[in-house]
Amino acid sequence: MSAIKNVLDQLLAGLCIALFTALVLVVTWQVFTRQVIGDPSTWTSTTAQYLFVWLSLFGAAYVFSERGHIAVDFLARKTGGRAQKAVGAFTMLVVLAFALIVLIWGGLRGVGLTWAQNVSGLPVNVGQMYLALPVSGALITFYALHHLRKIAVGREAGLPINEDEEIGRHTSSMPLIASQDPRITETRLDPRLDPRLDGSSDPDDDTQKGR
């Protein structure tokens, strides 16, 4: 499953780059035709809207593959490893339910209802544009199952992103809970890693005292 995830990550990254590039070019052409030529293009507005929707959906799926979305985890980090594991599993189940019900099931219904509706100024129909919903839902479903399996077997913690004022935010393939991060605990306990704990005076302080 990890090999499939890596392939999907590469494909999603390339797709997001292509969608973003196309969006920039379309919007640039729209501004150029409106402000410079004085004859606004009729297809750029609709195209930009659909490109933005596609970029948002597939970009969200790509970020979810790395569990990089913003999370309010203040209370969860106050608990132990088991509780954090339960929170992580519950979160994946909620995301899985949303992807299955809203994105896949709802998206397929939307595709079926709008397949016969043509998009003004474009050689496609609305149903084809709505395909981004079930496709992104299938991707998010796969990623949710992938992370849920890794959490269940203990290969991934419930809260994968460790946060510290000096370290910042990061995601690793073998994430730890905040209380088990050796970079934080060693810094707090080893005076060699934190000069404020060894009792020695700061040379700048001695200089100031001598003054």
Side-chain angles (χ1 to χ4, degrees):
M1 183 174 282
S2 296
I4 299 176
K5 177 183 179 297
N6 293 333
V7 174
L8 288 178
D9 287 346
Q10 295 178 1
L11 293 176
L12 268 179
L15 178 59
C16 290
I17 293 173
L19 289 173
F20 183 77
T21 303
L23 179 60
V24 171
L25 293 176
V26 169
V27 173
T28 301
W29 178 251
Q30 182 183 34
V31 174
F32 178 79
T33 57
R34 181 183 300 273
Q35 302 296 332
V36 178
I37 301 179
D39 184 16
S41 179
T42 57
W43 57 270
T44 53
S45 179
T46 303
T47 304
Q49 292 176 6
Y50 282 114
L51 285 174
F52 182 78
V53 172
W54 277 54
L55 180 60
S56 299
L57 290 171
F58 289 112
Y62 179 70
V63 175
F64 181 69
S65 70
E66 300 297 333
R67 300 182 68 182
H69 286 289
I70 297 175
V72 182
D73 53 9
F74 175 76
L75 294 178
R77 290 195 178 277
K78 299 298 182 181
T79 61
R82 289 187 177 181
Q84 292 185 12
K85 185 176 180 179
V87 170
F90 175 75
T91 302
M92 291 301 143
L93 290 175
V94 172
V95 173
L96 181 62
F98 176 83
L100 290 173
I101 298 174
V102 177
L103 294 179
I104 296 180
W105 182 75
L108 289 175
R109 282 179 57 86
V111 170
L113 293 174
T114 59
W115 192 262
Q117 299 179 13
N118 295 324
V119 178
S120 178
L122 295 177
V124 295
N125 57 54
V126 178
Q128 292 173 341
M129 295 294 96
Y130 281 8
L131 282 174
L133 287 170
V135 173
S136 63
L139 292 171
I140 293 176
T141 298
F142 172 80
Y143 288 133
L145 292 174
H146 171 76
H147 291 303
L148 189 61
R149 182 184 66 87
K150 293 185 69 175
I151 293 174
V153 299
R155 295 182 57 191
E156 185 171 291
L159 304 176
I161 300 179
N162 297 320
E163 183 175 2
D164 185 75
E165 293 180 358
E166 297 180 357
I167 299 175
R169 300 183 68 86
H170 75 283
T171 303
S172 62
S173 58
M174 295 294 292
L176 302 170
I177 62 175
S179 59
Q180 295 177 348
D181 192 342
R183 297 173 305 173
I184 298 176
T185 55
E186 289 178 2
T187 302
R188 290 175 179 173
L189 300 179
D190 193 344
R192 295 173 300 175
L193 300 178
D194 191 346
R196 294 173 297 180
L197 302 179
D198 61 358
S200 61
S201 59
D202 191 346
D204 294 337
D205 295 339
D206 294 339
T207 304
Q208 294 177 0
K209 292 179 181 179
R211 294 179 181 176

